[in-house]
């Protein structure tokens, strides 16, 4: 069987992370959570005191982070290190896996991801990870920009309230104090920003298989995806 490149795109809280992890495990594929890269750029920017509006400063920082290989995702090479809360990420050798998953950094990631030079800086890392196939990449523009020729493309979605409820439960479980209303506003605003930005906006690739994750168990969605991948491998 061929080892394919599988793209999973969709809005925040659609369940991409859980499903992508399950699918990669079932197939014995590598996994790349591309949102973690944008989140790490946002974290690095906030740590050096750059405001989200400082496009030039953030672009220069992202270029440096990529060129100097300061962002490392050990789980891409060693999928067994992947964790339930999202992919393990190192910034300058420090484990920032939890630090990148706060509401503030979610907003920051959305802001920095609209800067063309940031997307450009992270593109090579993503293409390199997926170049030999046998990989599941999840994000917003995998099937449209990063791997427009991916053999299998899924677009995972769900109504905003369902997605916000998941995000809220996830944050609450980790002890991050937020209200459901704020989480919903955040999700809706992030979707709008991600869909309306000029470069690589969130949109469904024409050849993507759309899956609505509301009222469905992740395991069931993974099984559906496995059948599609195996039929094309
Ligand atoms: O998927 P996650 O919520 O971790 O992504 C954080 C943010 O990073 C998204 O809101 C989006 O703005 C950005 N992103 C992106 N392109 C990707 C993955 C994430 O623009 N491929």
């Amino acid at each position: 069987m061929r080892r394919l490149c599988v793209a999973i795109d969709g809005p925040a809280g659609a369940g991409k992370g859980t499903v992508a992890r399950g699918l990669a495990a079932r197939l014995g594929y590598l996994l790349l959570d591309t949102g973690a890269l944008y989140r790490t750029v946002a974290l690095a920017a906030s740590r050096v005191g750059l405001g989200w509006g400082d496009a030039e400063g953030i672009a220069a920082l992202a270029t440096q982070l990529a060129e100097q290989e300061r962002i490392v995702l050990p789980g891409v090479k060693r999928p067994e290190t992947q964790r339930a809360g999202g992919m393990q990420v190192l910034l300058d050798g420090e484990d920032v896996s939890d630090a990148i998953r706060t509401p503030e950094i979610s907003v920051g990631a959305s802001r920095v991801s609209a800067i063309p030079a940031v997307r450009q800086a992270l593109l090579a890392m993503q293409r390199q990870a997926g170049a030999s196939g046998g990989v599941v990449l999840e994000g917003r523009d995998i099937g449209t920009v990063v791997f427009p020729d991916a053999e299998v493309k899924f677009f995972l979605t769900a109504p905003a309230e369902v997605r916000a409820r998941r995000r809220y439960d996830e944050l609450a479980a980790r002890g991050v104090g937020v209200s459901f209303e704020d989480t919903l506003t955040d999700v809706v605003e992030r979707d709008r920003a991600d869909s309306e930005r000029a470069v690589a906006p969130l949109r469904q690739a024409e050849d993507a298989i759309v899956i609505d994750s509301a009222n469905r168990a992740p395991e069931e969605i993974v099984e559906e995806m496995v059948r599609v991948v195996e039929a094309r491998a």
Side-chain angles (χ1 to χ4, degrees):
M1 270 215 256
R2 289 190 304 150
R3 290 170 66 76
L4 310 182
C5 176
V6 180
I8 305 180
D9 290 305
K16 300 187 299 293
T18 308
V19 163
R21 201 166 54 245
L23 181 63
R26 277 280 274 107
L27 296 169
Y29 279 20
L30 301 180
L31 170 67
L32 180 58
D33 163 11
T34 63
L37 299 174
Y38 292 95
R39 287 174 178 274
T40 306
V41 170
L43 179 71
S46 83
R47 283 185 171 181
V48 295
L50 294 172
W52 304 139
D54 185 353
E56 237 172 74
I58 294 174
L61 174 65
T63 307
Q64 215 189 63
L65 291 173
E67 279 175 0
Q68 300 174 357
E69 299 182 14
R70 290 169 58 192
I71 304 177
V72 175
L73 306 175
V76 175
K77 289 281 173 274
R78 293 192 298 125
E80 71 278 6
T81 65
Q82 279 152 21
R83 337 139 350 117
M87 181 157 247
Q88 192 189 12
V89 189
L90 306 181
L91 171 62
D92 294 327
E94 177 196 343
D95 190 332
V96 293
S97 316
D98 286 328
I100 60 168
R101 299 195 186 275
T102 64
E104 188 208 342
I105 296 300
S106 295
V107 171
S110 189
R111 293 290 300 275
V112 307
S113 73
I115 303 168
V118 170
R119 305 204 69 86
Q120 191 57 38
L122 299 180
L123 194 56
M125 284 176 76
Q126 299 173 66
R127 290 202 170 139
Q128 220 170 17
S132 333
V135 63
V136 176
L137 294 105
E138 61 119 327
R140 302 290 187 291
D141 63 336
I142 308 303
T144 51
V145 174
V146 181
F147 284 105
D149 297 329
E151 286 96 347
V152 186
K153 299 178 188 177
F154 295 107
F155 192 85
L156 194 64
T157 188
E161 285 73 17
V162 174
R163 295 186 286 107
R165 172 61 58 188
R166 286 187 189 137
R167 263 293 134 91
Y168 174 74
D169 290 346
E170 210 176 279
L171 292 168
R174 290 193 5 242
V176 180
V178 282
S179 71
F180 174 72
E181 287 68 32
D182 286 351
T183 310
L184 177 61
T185 308
D186 217 59
V187 161
V188 170
E189 175 51 30
R190 207 138 64 86
D191 288 351
R192 191 197 56 72
D194 289 348
S195 307
E196 292 179 1
R197 70 179 172 224
V199 270
L202 167 68
R203 68 182 168 79
Q204 185 191 318
E206 272 174 23
D207 49 351
I209 296 168
V210 182
I211 298 179
D212 187 330
S213 68
N215 306 316
R216 289 186 70 187
E219 299 77 27
E220 183 196 325
I221 298 173
V222 168
E223 289 314 311
E224 178 182 342
M225 290 176 159
V226 167
R227 284 195 293 276
V228 173
V229 174
E230 287 183 345
R232 295 188 190 181

